[in-house]
Amino acid sequence: PIRDDPRSTPRIDRYQDPTYHQPKKKKPTRVKYIEINKRKGTQIEFATDAVVRTATAKEVTAGARLFGIVEGALLYAQEMAAVGHPLSPPLSARLTRVAG
């Protein structure tokens, strides 16, 4: 259930209620993306449809994330267009199973 004021509900109820969503505190430089996802086989791509940011946040205009399984490893890549630069990958990872 949606609650108008989280303080109006006893604390124990909020943590036992699986439908309760605790709002996260926002940082002044926070950037939020509205994304569209595409799935193809073992890959999922999230592409930015819209970017919302605070006045003090860095200028981010686009973003993309890609998850996929390639040769048994989980690959992750993130791209971001910010401060006048085109999409570029500031972060990527390859997770390989070592046991199990």
Side-chain angles (χ1 to χ4, degrees):
I2 298 173
R3 306 196 196 308
D4 293 330
D5 183 0
R7 294 169 294 192
S8 66
T9 305
R11 182 179 197 117
I12 190 73
D13 180 51
R14 289 189 299 186
Y15 292 105
Q16 290 177 347
D17 184 354
T19 62
Y20 179 77
H21 173 69
Q22 178 69 36
K24 294 182 180 178
K25 294 181 180 176
K26 306 264 190 253
K27 295 181 181 178
T29 58
R30 180 71 51 130
V31 176
K32 293 287 187 186
Y33 300 92
I34 297 174
E35 300 176 320
I36 304 170
N37 65 44
K38 298 176 193 172
R39 184 174 173 196
K40 181 180 176 184
T42 60
Q43 295 183 353
I44 300 174
E45 180 181 356
F46 296 90
T48 301
D49 188 43
V51 178
V52 180
R53 60 188 174 87
T54 65
T56 58
K58 94 169 127 176
E59 180 189 358
V60 176
T61 55
R65 296 180 297 146
L66 177 65
F67 297 87
I69 297 175
V70 178
E71 298 174 359
L74 175 61
L75 301 181
Y76 171 76
Q78 178 180 347
E79 294 184 319
M80 183 185 345
V83 197
H85 296 284
L87 277 173
S88 62
L91 177 66
S92 64
R94 179 183 181 100
L95 302 172
T96 309
R97 179 179 284 192
V98 293

